[in-house]
């Protein structure tokens, strides 16, 4: 999967009145999803991209982004940007997503963006991801050692 960050190409372009669900995008060089209209539900997707995970620019409204796993390397997992003084994303619900990003913020939005509700976000940078994986591996190792000990007794 190869798309340029500068030409606004994406693995999936979503128009108004759409449901985007159950997609898996892996090893994509570029943007995962571009929202080009309103009244969109983006749920239960898995993205592994080098660009923005989800990009919405301009007057995009009534969007729900929930229950997704978005790994966007060094870019924002969700990027909401204005295109002019009066055109900016608004009326978004962003909830219960797992976001992996080494950017300063996993979710970026211009100050003018209105009515953006964000909740239940799990955000991890690369260092936190490694620590989490090491913690899981330690738990598994201890469990296996206990099983081995029980078999020997």
């Amino acid at each position: 999967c190869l798309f340029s960050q500068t030409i606004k190409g994406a693995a999936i372009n979503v128009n108004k009145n759409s449901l985007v669900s159950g997609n898996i995008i892996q090893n994509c060089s570029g943007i995962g999803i571009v929202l080009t209209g309103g009244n969109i539900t983006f749920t239960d997707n898995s993205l592994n991209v080098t660009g923005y995970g989800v990009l919405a620019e301009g007057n995009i409204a009534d969007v729900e982004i929930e229950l997704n796993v978005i790994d966007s390397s060094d870019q924002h997992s969700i990027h909401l940007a204005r295109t002019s003084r009066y055109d900016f994303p608004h009326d978004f619900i962003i909830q219960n997503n797992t976001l992996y990003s080494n950017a300063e913020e996993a979710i970026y939005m211009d100050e003018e963006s209105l009515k953006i509700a964000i909740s239940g976000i799990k955000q991890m940078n690369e260092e936190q991801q490694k620590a989490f994986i090491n913690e899981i591996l330690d738990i598994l190792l201890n469990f296996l050692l206990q099983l081995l000990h029980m078999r020997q007794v």
Side-chain angles (χ1 to χ4, degrees):
C1 184
L2 178 62
F3 295 94
S4 169
Q5 193 79 2
T6 57
I7 60 171
K8 300 289 190 266
I12 298 175
N13 286 297
V14 184
N15 291 316
K16 65 181 179 179
N17 303 321
S18 296
L19 168 64
V20 180
S21 179
N23 295 285
I24 299 172
I25 299 171
Q26 294 180 320
N27 301 320
C28 183
S29 180
I31 301 169
I33 306 293
V34 173
L35 307 179
T36 60
N39 192 28
I40 294 171
T41 299
F42 181 74
T43 184
D44 194 31
N45 297 283
S46 177
L47 309 178
N48 173 257
V49 298
T50 60
Y52 304 126
V54 177
L55 173 63
E57 294 181 308
N59 189 21
I60 307 293
D62 301 316
V63 175
E64 294 181 31
I65 301 173
E66 60 183 355
L67 302 171
N68 300 286
V69 177
I70 303 173
D71 179 353
S72 56
S73 297
D74 294 328
Q75 295 293 332
H76 304 116
S77 296
I78 300 171
H79 188 91
L80 310 178
R82 69 180 180 160
T83 54
S84 71
R85 186 174 183 182
Y86 301 105
D87 289 331
F88 46 83
H90 57 94
D91 297 300
F92 274 58
I93 297 172
I94 303 170
Q95 63 185 2
N96 302 322
N97 296 282
T98 301
L99 308 176
Y100 299 100
S101 173
N102 288 319
E104 205 171 301
E105 309 162 313
I107 300 174
Y108 171 83
M109 60 186 137
D110 283 319
E111 292 177 10
E112 293 83 0
S113 299
L114 299 173
K115 299 181 185 174
I116 309 290
I118 300 174
S119 67
I121 301 296
K122 297 175 191 168
Q123 177 182 344
M124 289 189 229
N125 63 28
E126 189 173 348
E127 186 177 305
Q128 292 167 321
Q129 292 172 36
K130 287 178 183 176
F132 177 72
I133 290 169
N134 286 334
E135 184 178 329
I136 296 298
L137 290 174
D138 285 345
I139 292 168
L140 288 172
L141 179 61
N142 287 332
F143 177 72
L144 291 172
L145 289 173
Q146 286 178 357
L147 281 176
L148 247 148
H149 179 61
M150 290 172 61
R151 291 188 99 186
Q152 292 176 354
V153 173

